[in-house]
Structure formats: structure tokens, C-alpha cells
Amino acid sequence: MSDKSTVSTRNAEERYTQIMNELTTAASDGKESNTAYGLLLIGKSIDELAEALTAYHTTPRDKPHVVHEVFGYMPDTRVITTIVLNTYINGINSYLPISKIAVRIAKNLQDEIDFLHLESVDVNIFRRTTITVATKSRLHEKRASLRWFLKNAAGIPSFAWPDNEKMAIDHALIVFLIIILASSK
């Protein structure tokens, strides 16, 4: 083998090792949605799921499902879809049961609703909150910072659905996601 091909093989092996280390780290941190394949899954699914959510929301019904409540707080279905997909991919890759994934989706949606509310109340506090939350590495620290700014800086309560609504909303969103992913095969 020539020196050039040996160097090329060594570079490919080093790159492979680097990618595998990044994937292992992402998997252990529960952040596989940030990996190349996680982003690919999200990129391939986001428009389809957002369109399905929009169609579902705009279809007239006698009695709307509780999931319609989400649209009242977050009218952008792409934001909802991104949260659902990120949380779902991270959850299934961490081997979490669907009920725990549903709870995480609810908490992540509630966080986004809190950020949107904070931004509408006071843009300066919103910016400070965003900067502070970005410096935190653990999710519970990020949430604690957000709650602190809501309560102490802006004087507004954090948003939370009742548990029964939370589960109904999240299970509906997960079923939607599974149906869309299954139909796109």
C-alpha cells in the first residue's frame, strides 16, 4: 500500500471514530435529535407533520379535541412539530416508555409557551432569560432559570396544563407523529 492510501485510510478511520464518539455522547446525553441522522429524520418529517397538524386544526368539528388548545398558545405548527420530533427522537433513542416521552413533550411545549408569553410581556427580560438559560447544561437547570425569570423578573406565573389534558394532548401528538411517519414510508 502506498503512503497516500495509508494516510487516506487512517484519516477515514479517525473520522469514523470521531463520528461514533459523537453519536455515543449524543445518545448518552439524550440528544440524538442533534446528530446527523436525527436532523435527517426531523428534516424529512417536519413539513409533513406540520401540514397534517394544520389540516387537523383547521378542520371544523362539533367538539374539538383538547389538542386544539396547543394551537391557541402556539399557532406555528412548525414549532410544535419541532418540539414533538426532537423530544420523540431523543426519547425513543433513550429507550423511554411512550408515557414518559409524552410527559417530556408536555414539559417542552409548556416551556415554549412560557418563553412566548415572556417575550410578549417584556422583551428585555426575555432576552436575559434566553441568554441565562443557554448557559445551563442540564434541562432541569434551564427550566429552573426560566421559572425564576417568569416569577421574579417578570412577575408572571409559569404555564401548566392539568395532568389529564397534558396526557391527552401529548398522546394525540405522538399518535399523529407515528401515523405521519408510517405513511411516509
Side-chain angles (χ1 to χ4, degrees):
M1 228 197 292
S2 72
D3 288 339
K4 203 175 206 180
S5 66
T6 303
V7 169
S8 176
T9 302
R10 191 176 308 130
N11 286 343
E13 289 173 357
E14 288 173 359
R15 181 67 183 130
Y16 173 78
T17 301
Q18 178 186 2
I19 289 169
M20 293 310 293
N21 287 338
E22 289 172 3
L23 290 175
T24 303
T25 301
S28 67
D29 290 344
K31 296 180 180 173
E32 287 187 287
S33 61
N34 294 333
T35 63
Y37 69 87
L39 293 171
L40 178 67
L41 280 171
I42 291 169
K44 290 179 86 173
S45 307
I46 193 166
D47 289 330
E48 203 171 342
L49 183 57
E51 288 171 16
L53 281 175
T54 300
Y56 176 76
H57 178 57
T58 57
T59 302
R61 292 177 174 38
D62 290 337
K63 183 180 176 202
H65 188 274
V66 71
V67 81
H68 286 278
E69 201 174 299
V70 177
F71 300 110
Y73 296 105
M74 300 171 60
D76 187 346
T77 55
R78 288 183 61 83
V79 173
I80 297 168
T81 301
T82 302
I83 292 169
V84 170
L85 285 169
N86 280 331
T87 308
Y88 186 76
I89 289 169
N90 291 338
I92 60 171
N93 287 318
S94 299
Y95 302 104
L96 291 176
I98 203 77
S99 59
K100 287 199 181 223
I101 295 171
V103 169
R104 286 187 178 183
I105 289 171
K107 287 180 178 180
N108 292 340
L109 288 170
Q110 289 173 168
D111 289 344
E112 183 64 22
I113 290 168
D114 281 339
F115 271 113
L116 291 170
H117 188 202
L118 184 57
E119 184 179 30
S120 71
V121 170
D122 190 321
V123 175
N124 291 324
I125 294 174
F126 168 77
R127 287 184 185 132
R128 284 194 339 232
T129 305
T130 304
I131 290 167
T132 301
V133 167
T135 65
K136 307 297 180 189
S137 59
R138 298 177 188 260
L139 187 57
H140 71 276
E141 294 170 344
K142 291 176 185 281
R143 283 202 172 109
S145 292
L146 172 59
R147 304 282 180 272
W148 187 91
F149 275 98
L150 286 166
K151 180 180 177 186
N152 298 314
I156 56 177
S158 61
F159 176 82
W161 282 294
D163 287 342
N164 62 333
E165 286 183 20
K166 189 184 307 180
M167 293 308 287
I169 289 167
D170 299 331
H171 282 115
L173 290 171
I174 289 172
V175 167
F176 237 2
L177 172 64
I178 292 169
I179 289 169
I180 295 303
L181 292 176
S183 69
S184 66
K185 286 183 177 181

